Amino acid sequence: METIIKKIDKMNIDQKTIQEAGEILKKGGLVAFPTETVYGLGANALDEEAARKTYAAKGRPSDNPLIVHICEVDALNRIAVNIPEEVGRLAEKFWPGPLTLILEKSDEVPYGTTGGLDTVAVRMPSDSIARELIRAVGGYVSAPSANTSGRPSPTAAEHVREDLDGKIEMILDGGSVDIGLESTILDMTVTPPMILRPGAITADMMEPVVGHVSIDETLLGRETDKAPKAPGMKYRHYAPKAKLMIVEGNVKEEVLAIRQLCYAAVREGKRVGVIATNETYSYYTNGVVKNIGTRENEKTIARNLYAVLREFDDEEVDEIYSESFALQGIGNAIMNRLEKAAGHLRISAASVVKQQKYRRIIFVSMTDTCRGPMAAEMLRREDLHQEYVIDSRGMVVLFPEPVNQKAEAVMKSAQMTMASHTAVALSEAEMEGDILLLTMDEEQKIKLTEQYGDNGNIYTLKEFTGEETDIPNPYGKPLNVYGECLETLSKLIHKLTEKLNSFTEGGA
């Protein structure tokens, strides 16, 4: 089958294209089309065989209900019975829009469409292309997301083409969608009404209209063996090809934990992805990092989520680590989709963070122009099991002086360079507990502890490594003394590497 792709402008809808798509649906075919939430895979909702084709094209389990899309509120009367009076108020407030209602079905709706249930899921989309197509078919279009079952939902026509090219008759390309997450699903067959799938319409928005709204407690829980009453409840959904894990904690903990996890994965030769936000993007140092949006406006995160998951597929990553988001407002919907995509794989950020004793190592010397920067550059080249920010600082720095020329000369002889380094003075802010400060000699350590106090993170380099050898101070001496300093530092840095790496193996 050749899939026809037709561009269509929602501001200037080509009725000829709509009629062509409508005829395909009337004859039992399948047409993908944009809605304000995600792209839908349209079929005649009242045609049992069309429902079968929908399941086949998506590879979707046949007990997973399809949502029936309508374009007029009065259309409910043909497909639903015993409609609660609250439905009218909800429709007036939220339709057209991203709200799906579960109602008792009429005999007009085939069980193929409802997944064998006696209820029907109904919504009225606000997208003008979607509503014109529904009208052209006769008022009833079933439409799950237009993707291979289990994959991230499509928010652009290209995503549909990737999954369903050659499996459906037509794709209406109306550009990117507005919301990016599927509709809220509200079960109106129970009292009080219950949210079965969170979306852009939240409980706080609906309660002034219909009173108390309950929330299905299993939304962020494990998969269930029960027949799903609404799309997305039972099966793993929205998943990228790579293993996705959600790292949970406060934002600082999440960033630190994800950095650790990514560093470890990269050391193992894995290609990793990170779902970050505008606020945290710049803090990550390893992996393919995607900025999903801003926490100040989580609608941007919702809009970009599925596109980012698909981008990771293109990047061919092996693992993806995602920050978590607040369980309020549309954040509930974001976390629901992430949980499904991750198969409920969660990692405690705090448990990861506590595995790393130090996160930054600062080599302290008098002027930060010789031994300190030499040690820092050597350590950066070691195979460290955990990620560290490695710096050098000076106790007396009057201006940003370059490194000593003789020190640079002996470093170059060892295929290293400090050409970009300039001296920086140590500050009180760099005395935090997860920063290890290593001085070049005992006198410097004593001065630091006298000035800043001893919180247990200040050592001489030889003390921390358990060695007895003093580090020669070559300042003002011949080049060969700089060479001796290099040799001593090299041995101490190897010992330091062993000590740091022992922390990941249960060392003290």
Side-chain angles (χ1 to χ4, degrees), residues 226-264:
K226 296 180 181 179
K229 200 169 187 180
M233 289 187 68
K234 180 176 180 181
Y235 301 99
R236 187 175 181 226
H237 273 62
Y238 326 118
K241 296 174 183 176
K243 181 181 180 181
L244 170 64
M245 290 156 279
I246 302 169
V247 180
E248 296 183 315
N250 62 49
V251 174
K252 181 180 179 181
E253 286 177 336
E254 289 177 6
V255 171
L256 292 175
I258 291 173
R259 282 183 56 152
Q260 276 180 243
L261 292 164
C262 286
Y263 183 83

Side-chain angles (χ1 to χ4, degrees), residues 39-197:
Y39 270 73
L41 179 55
N44 183 347
L46 306 183
D47 182 346
E48 185 99 39
E49 178 61 18
R52 187 195 66 77
K53 290 180 180 178
T54 302
Y55 291 119
K58 283 178 60 68
R60 179 186 178 106
S62 60
D63 67 344
N64 206 359
L66 307 177
I67 295 176
V68 178
H69 292 64
I70 61 177
C71 59
E72 303 290 345
V73 175
D74 290 345
L76 276 177
N77 297 322
R78 183 178 174 188
I79 59 174
V81 296
N82 301 321
I83 300 172
E85 59 93 11
E86 294 94 340
V87 168
R89 299 202 298 272
L90 287 168
E92 183 178 357
K93 178 70 175 178
F94 300 111
W95 279 1
L99 175 64
T100 294
L101 302 177
I102 303 288
L103 304 166
E104 292 183 43
K105 87 174 190 70
S106 73
D107 293 338
E108 291 267 1
V109 186
Y111 281 109
T113 297
T114 66
L117 299 177
D118 290 321
T119 54
V120 60
V122 189
R123 94 170 181 98
M124 184 191 300
S126 63
D127 186 275
S128 55
I129 297 170
R131 294 175 70 191
E132 286 296 313
L133 179 61
I134 295 165
R135 190 169 288 112
V137 180
Y140 303 95
V141 173
S142 61
S145 56
N147 58 303
T148 299
S149 187
R151 291 211 65 210
S153 297
T155 55
E158 175 59 22
H159 300 159
V160 181
R161 187 199 63 75
E162 290 172 3
D163 284 9
L164 300 180
D165 189 22
K167 298 179 181 179
I168 64 176
E169 283 81 355
M170 180 180 283
I171 300 171
L172 295 179
D173 182 355
S176 297
V177 302
D178 294 329
I179 296 174
L181 293 180
E182 297 84 356
S183 61
T184 302
I185 297 180
L186 184 67
D187 187 356
M188 296 300 296
T189 68
V190 297
T191 303
M194 178 181 289
I195 293 177
L196 302 183
R197 182 177 74 187

Side-chain angles (χ1 to χ4, degrees), residues 421-465:
H421 176 80
T422 54
V424 177
L426 182 69
S427 70
E428 187 171 359
E430 293 169 319
M431 306 299 293
E432 296 177 4
D434 63 351
I435 300 177
L436 174 63
L437 292 105
L438 299 173
T439 66
M440 298 297 104
D441 57 45
E442 186 69 25
E443 183 180 352
Q444 293 166 359
K445 175 188 171 182
I446 292 171
K447 287 182 178 179
L448 281 186
T449 54
E450 287 176 349
Q451 184 172 354
Y452 299 109
D454 186 1
N455 62 358
N457 65 334
I458 304 174
Y459 301 85
T460 66
L461 178 54
K462 77 170 189 176
E463 173 191 13
F464 190 78
T465 56

Side-chain angles (χ1 to χ4, degrees), residues 36 85 87 96 109 115 145 169 238 257 272 318 320 342 346-347 384 395 463 505:
E36 72 276 21
E85 59 93 11
V87 168
V109 186
S145 56
E169 283 81 355
Y238 326 118
V272 294
D318 302 304
I320 304 168
R346 303 180 188 179
I347 297 173
L384 296 166
M395 299 177 66
E463 173 191 13
E505 300 159 2

